[in-house]
Amino acid sequence: MLDGLSLDQLRAFLAAVDEGSFSAAGRRLMRTQSAISEAIGTLEMHLGVTLFDRSGRYPQLTSEGNVLLADARQVLSCVDGMKARAKGLTSGIEPELTVVIEVMFPIDALARAARDFRQHFSGTPLRLYVEVLGAAVEPVLDGRASFSIVGFLPELPPGLVAEYLTTVRFMMVAAASHPLAAWQGVIPKEELGRHVQLVLTDRSKLTAGREFGVMSTSTWRLADLFAKHAFLLNGLGWGGMPRHTIEADLQAGRLVELKIEDVPEGGLTLPMQAVYRAADPPGPAGRWMIEQLKACREHQQ
């Protein structure tokens, strides 16, 4: 009997729930009250349950109807999503957008862009991955991602195109309790070498073995920026962090900016770029996302 279910019946069911009556559901769907009543009655017959209590002036959901309501909404949501995705395919919009984000990129700016993306491209699922160094580029090279956002990448692999998005401030810091935090004036490099530097691990072959900003011969390597943040706060070493992730710690005095040779006060300027394959540039959804990220405010503080 379930094979006789139709989308028309489910839409009549949801309209009656949302509008509060069969007549109001008919006006919403531009059908007669009797057509709505018949569609819901047929649905009840196929399901073998009573969806509405019709004894009062207005129909009320039964306990069975209330349980099946979420299922009906999910079914129609999936169908509507399928239709939107099919429409996107015919208009050239990507069926899915996969983006790799460098861990240094401001996540709040990305979240704002993603919120608006959902409104403009409701039929295009968004897949986001967070990586560091060469690991942010490899998925683009092998075709697993439409584009990536990268920071530490002095040399662009052949076949890739880069577009400037914004800048991030990258600061050398240590916990207020760390010996380096009490140093007066510029800290000599030989002194830095006496203390553990916390460094993000490169998980890619693209930049494996290459050092970026490593100034100490004693390093602890971590695969996660949040773990590095926690280690810094606990005085386990010193290292670089994007300023927007530690602003509250600086203001509260938990972390202290270190004065280091060749590093300007306030930190280094780290350009963030969108990188994609020249032979396979992002489609309409990817291009829209890149332009939104270009418009985000610069994180130079």
Side-chain angles (χ1 to χ4, degrees):
M1 294 294 288
L2 290 179
D3 291 340
L5 287 175
S6 71
L7 297 178
D8 178 70
Q9 295 162 8
L10 293 177
R11 293 193 190 281
F13 172 40
L14 292 187
V17 172
D18 294 340
E19 300 298 328
S21 70
F22 291 176
S23 58
R27 290 191 293 272
R28 171 174 159 179
L29 299 178
M30 293 185 291
R31 301 179 60 185
T32 64
Q33 177 180 340
S34 60
I36 296 296
S37 181
E38 181 180 354
I40 293 175
T42 303
L43 178 61
E44 290 176 322
M45 180 185 68
H46 287 306
L47 292 174
V49 299
T50 301
L51 298 173
F52 289 100
D53 178 356
R54 299 169 174 79
S55 60
R57 180 177 180 182
Y58 297 105
Q60 299 293 322
L61 274 176
T62 61
S63 58
E64 294 86 353
N66 193 57
V67 169
L68 294 175
L69 177 61
D71 293 330
R73 291 195 189 281
Q74 183 176 8
V75 168
L76 289 179
S77 177
C78 289
V79 171
D80 290 342
M82 181 180 179
K83 290 165 63 178
R85 196 165 296 119
K87 182 179 179 180
L89 288 172
T90 60
S91 63
I93 297 175
E94 304 94 314
E96 179 177 288
L97 180 62
T98 300
V99 182
V100 186
I101 308 298
E102 160 74 52
V103 71
M104 301 295 175
F105 191 81
I107 196 66
D108 59 337
L110 177 63
R112 289 194 298 271
R115 178 191 60 200
D116 294 338
F117 179 90
R118 184 174 59 182
Q119 299 297 321
H120 285 78
F121 301 96
S122 59
T124 303
L126 184 61
R127 302 283 183 262
L128 295 175
Y129 298 91
V130 180
E131 289 291 352
V132 66
L133 301 173
V137 180
E138 285 184 339
V140 174
L141 285 171
D142 61 25
R144 288 180 289 132
S146 176
F147 71 91
S148 65
I149 299 176
V150 300
F152 289 112
L153 195 67
E155 297 178 11
L156 200 64
L160 296 185
V161 175
E163 291 186 36
Y164 171 78
L165 296 177
T166 186
T167 57
V168 168
R169 284 286 179 179
F170 187 75
M171 302 177 64
M172 297 299 175
V173 297
S177 60
H178 194 279
L180 289 176
W183 191 275
Q184 298 298 315
V186 177
I187 305 172
K189 290 184 179 179
E190 56 268 22
E191 180 62 25
L192 291 174
R194 298 189 181 99
H195 302 271
V196 172
Q197 182 178 0
L198 301 176
V199 181
L200 286 178
T201 298
D202 187 357
R203 292 173 286 192
S204 78
K205 296 180 180 178
L206 186 63
T207 49
R210 301 180 63 181
E211 302 287 16
F212 299 93
V214 177
M215 305 176 193
S216 175
T217 56
S218 177
T219 60
W220 284 15
R221 297 181 180 271
L222 302 96
D224 182 84
L225 186 67
F226 299 102
K228 182 178 180 180
H229 183 205
F231 275 45
L232 284 168
L233 288 172
N234 281 275
L236 296 173
W238 65 276
M241 289 287 288
R243 177 160 185 160
H244 61 271
T245 64
I246 58 170
E247 188 64 44
D249 299 308
L250 292 171
Q251 293 181 4
R254 292 185 291 268
L255 291 178
V256 175
E257 180 182 6
L258 303 179
K259 294 181 180 180
I260 295 176
E261 292 181 50
D262 302 324
V263 177
E265 185 175 354
L268 298 165
T269 298
L270 178 64
M272 306 300 296
Q273 304 175 88
V275 174
Y276 52 85
R277 296 182 301 282
D280 186 21
R287 171 48 51 190
W288 184 94
M289 177 66 81
I290 289 174
E291 294 303 321
Q292 289 297 305
L293 295 174
K294 282 183 179 180
C296 74
R297 68 181 180 87
E298 291 194 347
H299 288 255
Q300 297 184 32
Q301 301 181 24

